[in-house]
Amino acid sequence: ACVRGLAVLVTGAGGSIGSELGRHLIRGAPRLLVLLDQNEYGLYEIHRELRQMIEYESLEVPTLTVLGSVTDAALLRRTMQSYQIDTVYHAAAYKHVSLVEQNVISGIKNNTFGTLYAAEAALEAGVANFILISTDKAVRTTNVMGASKRLAELVLQALQAQTTATRFSM
């Protein structure tokens, strides 16, 4: 219901989770699939793979790529508004505990503030569904990565309390 005939955006589309989402979503017959990632090569590879799937399986799903970061609020707003996004699957996150432990500010900026910027852009663009791909490490946080993802969940809970226009879930 969140995919068929709708414009869908996947953030972190070049990563392991985002690319797997793309593989499944393409078969759900979205009107448009927009892939966003800051990793040029990862974004290129998943777009190339999805184009091959579309051709091989005779699917009719236009796909677009957006090269950029979820910490770029203006890019997120422009993307969601320009393509009239209906559903966002927000998978963009730093997920490697050891890296985030060594790069605390980057982890919080990307995982927590990136989620805030994406959610605010979704609200502004009238996105109906925003799904945060979170982690079990957010349940009982024992590290910065888990805490940054838990904060992202709290951001969405706070925004959900203020609106019914967008459904935030995780």
Side-chain angles (χ1 to χ4, degrees), residues 25 29 48 50 62 87 98 103 117 147 161-162 170:
L25 292 169
R48 186 179 62 76
L50 293 179
T87 300
S98 61
N103 299 279
Y117 301 151
Q162 299 172 20
M170 58 207 79

Side-chain angles (χ1 to χ4, degrees), residues 112-144:
T112 303
F113 286 95
T115 300
L116 173 63
Y117 301 151
E120 288 176 335
L123 276 171
E124 192 174 317
V127 170
N129 301 291
F130 185 103
I131 299 100
L132 170 66
I133 307 303
S134 196
T135 174
D136 60 335
K137 291 175 182 67
V139 176
R140 286 202 185 106
T141 58
T142 59
N143 53 55
V144 174

Side-chain angles (χ1 to χ4, degrees), residues 1 4 6-7 18-19 31 37 43 54 83 90 93 98 103 114 130-131 138 167:
R4 186 169 306 281
L6 302 175
S19 61
R31 172 176 54 81
D37 204 291
L43 186 60
I54 288 166
Y83 300 115
H90 181 59
S98 61
N103 299 279
F130 185 103
I131 299 100
R167 181 177 50 183

Side-chain angles (χ1 to χ4, degrees), residues 55-72:
E55 185 177 333
Y56 181 75
E57 296 179 26
S58 301
L59 303 171
E60 293 187 24
V61 180
T63 60
L64 297 169
T65 57
V66 177
L67 183 60
S69 172
V70 293
T71 61
D72 185 342

Side-chain angles (χ1 to χ4, degrees), residues 7 9 31-32 34 36 64 66 73-88 117-127:
L9 168 66
R31 172 176 54 81
L32 172 66
V34 180
L36 184 146
L64 297 169
V66 177
L75 173 71
L76 292 167
R77 283 193 308 274
R78 196 169 51 250
T79 300
M80 291 186 206
Q81 290 172 355
S82 296
Y83 300 115
Q84 300 174 325
I85 299 298
D86 299 295
T87 300
V88 173
Y117 301 151
E120 288 176 335
L123 276 171
E124 192 174 317
V127 170

Side-chain angles (χ1 to χ4, degrees), residues 8-26:
V8 178
L9 168 66
V10 178
T11 69
S16 57
I17 295 170
S19 61
E20 189 63 25
L21 279 168
R23 290 180 194 102
H24 289 276
L25 292 169
I26 204 80

